Amino acid sequence: MIVAVNGVERAVDPKDEGAPLLEWLRERLGLTGAKNGCGIGRCGACTVLVDDKPTLACRTKVSEVAGKAVKTIEGMEDADGTLHPIQRAFVEHGAIQCGFCTPGMVLRAHGFLLKNPAPSREAIRKAISPNLCRCTGYQQIIDAIEAASPFYPPERGKRD
Protein backbone atom coordinates (compact mmCIF):
# COMPACT_ATOMS: atom_id res chain seq x y z
CA MET A 1 0.00 0.00 0.00
CA ILE A 2 1.28 3.45 -0.96
CA VAL A 3 0.29 6.83 0.49
CA ALA A 4 1.59 10.12 -0.89
CA VAL A 5 2.52 12.30 2.08
CA ASN A 6 3.49 15.88 1.30
CA GLY A 7 4.21 14.86 -2.29
CA VAL A 8 6.42 11.88 -1.40
CA GLU A 9 5.14 8.35 -1.94
CA ARG A 10 5.45 6.30 1.23
CA ALA A 11 5.14 2.53 1.46
CA VAL A 12 3.03 1.43 4.41
CA ASP A 13 4.14 -1.57 6.43
CA PRO A 14 1.19 -4.01 6.41
CA LYS A 15 1.18 -4.05 10.21
CA ASP A 16 0.42 -0.29 10.16
CA GLU A 17 -2.56 -0.42 7.79
CA GLY A 18 -5.07 -0.58 10.67
CA ALA A 19 -3.34 2.11 12.72
CA PRO A 20 -4.77 5.60 13.10
CA LEU A 21 -3.35 7.91 10.45
CA LEU A 22 -2.26 10.30 13.19
CA GLU A 23 -0.15 7.64 14.89
CA TRP A 24 1.43 6.57 11.59
CA LEU A 25 2.30 10.14 10.62
CA ARG A 26 3.75 11.01 14.01
CA GLU A 27 5.47 7.76 15.01
CA ARG A 28 6.49 6.16 11.72
CA LEU A 29 7.17 9.24 9.60
CA GLY A 30 8.19 11.69 12.33
CA LEU A 31 5.68 14.29 11.16
CA THR A 32 4.60 15.67 14.51
CA GLY A 33 2.77 18.77 13.31
CA ALA A 34 -0.65 17.12 13.59
CA LYS A 35 -1.46 16.95 17.29
CA ASN A 36 -3.23 14.36 19.38
CA GLY A 37 -5.72 16.50 21.24
CA CYS A 38 -8.85 14.66 22.26
CA GLY A 39 -8.31 11.45 20.28
CA ILE A 40 -12.03 11.22 19.48
CA GLY A 41 -12.40 13.72 16.65
CA ARG A 42 -13.84 16.57 18.69
CA CYS A 43 -11.03 19.15 18.77
CA GLY A 44 -9.57 19.16 15.24
CA ALA A 45 -5.96 19.37 16.42
CA CYS A 46 -5.16 16.33 14.29
CA THR A 47 -6.58 17.79 11.05
CA VAL A 48 -4.66 16.96 7.88
CA LEU A 49 -5.75 17.16 4.25
CA VAL A 50 -6.58 13.99 2.34
CA ASP A 51 -6.96 14.81 -1.35
CA ASP A 52 -7.36 18.45 -0.23
CA LYS A 53 -10.24 17.63 2.15
CA PRO A 54 -9.82 18.37 5.88
CA THR A 55 -9.68 15.01 7.64
CA LEU A 56 -9.37 14.05 11.29
CA ALA A 57 -6.24 11.91 11.41
CA CYS A 58 -7.13 10.47 14.83
CA ARG A 59 -10.34 8.97 13.37
CA THR A 60 -8.93 7.79 10.04
CA LYS A 61 -7.16 4.48 9.52
CA VAL A 62 -4.05 4.39 7.36
CA SER A 63 -5.80 1.89 5.07
CA GLU A 64 -8.46 4.52 4.30
CA VAL A 65 -5.90 6.81 2.65
CA ALA A 66 -4.29 4.20 0.39
CA GLY A 67 -3.50 5.75 -2.98
CA LYS A 68 -4.47 9.22 -1.77
CA ALA A 69 -2.53 12.43 -1.15
CA VAL A 70 -2.05 13.44 2.48
CA LYS A 71 -0.83 16.91 3.35
CA THR A 72 0.42 17.81 6.81
CA ILE A 73 1.58 21.17 8.12
CA GLU A 74 5.14 20.11 7.28
CA GLY A 75 4.13 20.06 3.61
CA MET A 76 2.75 23.60 3.52
CA GLU A 77 5.94 25.64 3.21
CA ASP A 78 7.89 26.01 -0.03
CA ALA A 79 11.06 23.98 -0.62
CA ASP A 80 13.14 27.02 0.39
CA GLY A 81 11.31 27.29 3.71
CA THR A 82 9.11 30.21 2.71
CA LEU A 83 5.83 30.05 4.55
CA HIS A 84 2.66 29.48 2.59
CA PRO A 85 0.44 32.60 2.43
CA ILE A 86 -2.05 31.08 4.90
CA GLN A 87 0.80 30.41 7.35
CA ARG A 88 2.12 33.96 6.94
CA ALA A 89 -1.36 35.36 7.48
CA PHE A 90 -1.68 33.42 10.76
CA VAL A 91 1.64 34.89 11.94
CA GLU A 92 0.89 38.44 10.77
CA HIS A 93 -2.58 38.49 12.37
CA GLY A 94 -1.57 37.04 15.72
CA ALA A 95 -3.64 33.92 15.09
CA ILE A 96 -1.07 31.74 16.82
CA GLN A 97 -1.17 31.55 20.59
CA CYS A 98 0.26 28.38 22.15
CA GLY A 99 0.42 26.75 18.71
CA PHE A 100 -1.22 23.46 19.66
CA CYS A 101 -4.29 23.94 17.47
CA THR A 102 -2.51 25.94 14.77
CA PRO A 103 -1.45 23.14 12.38
CA GLY A 104 -4.97 21.71 12.29
CA MET A 105 -6.50 25.16 12.01
CA VAL A 106 -4.16 26.13 9.13
CA LEU A 107 -4.92 22.93 7.22
CA ARG A 108 -8.67 23.28 7.75
CA ALA A 109 -8.43 26.87 6.50
CA HIS A 110 -6.30 25.85 3.52
CA GLY A 111 -8.72 23.09 2.51
CA PHE A 112 -11.62 25.51 2.87
CA LEU A 113 -9.98 28.27 0.81
CA LEU A 114 -9.09 25.84 -1.98
CA LYS A 115 -12.82 25.36 -2.54
CA ASN A 116 -14.02 28.81 -1.39
CA PRO A 117 -11.47 31.43 -2.41
CA ALA A 118 -13.68 34.44 -1.63
CA PRO A 119 -15.57 33.51 1.53
CA SER A 120 -17.62 35.69 3.83
CA ARG A 121 -16.56 36.00 7.47
CA GLU A 122 -19.59 33.93 8.43
CA ALA A 123 -18.55 31.17 6.00
CA ILE A 124 -15.03 31.23 7.49
CA ARG A 125 -16.47 31.02 11.01
CA LYS A 126 -18.58 28.02 10.02
CA ALA A 127 -15.68 26.33 8.18
CA ILE A 128 -13.36 26.41 11.18
CA SER A 129 -16.03 25.46 13.71
CA PRO A 130 -14.86 21.80 13.96
CA ASN A 131 -11.47 23.03 15.25
CA LEU A 132 -11.12 24.28 18.80
CA CYS A 133 -8.70 26.91 20.08
CA ARG A 134 -8.50 27.12 23.84
CA CYS A 135 -6.10 30.08 24.02
CA THR A 136 -7.97 32.92 22.44
CA GLY A 137 -11.05 33.90 20.60
CA TYR A 138 -11.37 33.17 16.95
CA GLN A 139 -11.20 36.78 15.72
CA GLN A 140 -7.51 36.69 14.77
CA ILE A 141 -7.92 33.32 13.10
CA ILE A 142 -10.84 34.56 11.02
CA ASP A 143 -8.88 37.74 10.18
CA ALA A 144 -5.93 35.61 9.01
CA ILE A 145 -8.06 33.39 6.81
CA GLU A 146 -9.79 36.40 5.29
CA ALA A 147 -6.40 38.06 4.64
CA ALA A 148 -5.07 34.93 2.92
CA SER A 149 -8.09 34.46 0.67
CA PRO A 150 -6.74 36.70 -2.18
CA PHE A 151 -3.96 34.11 -2.64
CA TYR A 152 -6.49 31.42 -3.55
CA PRO A 153 -6.80 29.51 -5.72
CA PRO A 154 -3.03 28.82 -5.68
CA GLU A 155 -2.57 29.56 -9.40
CA ARG A 156 -3.22 33.20 -8.57
CA GLY A 157 0.38 33.22 -7.38
CA LYS A 158 2.31 34.37 -4.42
CA ARG A 159 2.35 37.71 -2.70
CA ASP A 160 3.80 40.66 -4.54
Side-chain angles (χ1 to χ4, degrees):
M1 183 171 91
I2 300 292
V3 178
V5 179
N6 298 330
V8 177
E9 289 193 351
R10 305 286 189 144
V12 177
D13 187 315
K15 71 179 181 202
D16 292 332
E17 291 178 5
L21 178 60
L22 179 63
E23 178 183 311
W24 185 68
L25 291 170
R26 291 180 60 84
E27 296 183 19
R28 297 288 187 253
L29 303 185
L31 300 172
T32 57
K35 304 296 187 234
N36 188 1
C38 66
I40 57 172
R42 296 283 179 134
C43 72
C46 65
T47 302
V48 298
L49 295 183
V50 176
D51 288 345
D52 290 335
K53 180 180 175 192
T55 301
L56 299 171
C58 74
R59 304 294 294 169
T60 303
K61 300 290 185 203
V62 174
S63 61
E64 296 175 59
V65 300
K68 296 182 179 179
V70 175
K71 183 178 284 271
T72 69
I73 196 69
E74 291 89 348
M76 290 294 292
E77 67 184 20
D78 288 341
D80 67 358
T82 303
L83 294 179
H84 186 278
I86 188 70
Q87 293 174 301
R88 277 191 302 228
F90 267 65
V91 171
E92 291 170 359
H93 288 82
I96 299 171
Q97 295 294 313
C98 79
F100 191 81
C101 74
T102 304
M105 198 68 82
V106 166
L107 286 163
R108 182 161 303 275
H110 181 63
F112 171 69
L113 289 172
L114 288 172
K115 292 186 177 187
N116 305 284
S120 67
R121 291 181 69 81
E122 184 57 33
I124 294 170
R125 190 172 288 113
K126 184 176 178 183
I128 63 169
S129 65
N131 289 57
L132 301 177
C133 174
R134 294 184 173 98
C135 296
T136 183
Y138 294 85
Q139 190 65 41
Q140 297 96 325
I141 294 168
I142 294 167
D143 291 347
I145 296 169
E146 186 175 46
S149 67
F151 299 97
Y152 286 84
E155 60 268 12
R156 289 167 91 178
K158 298 181 178 180
R159 289 184 179 188
D160 299 350

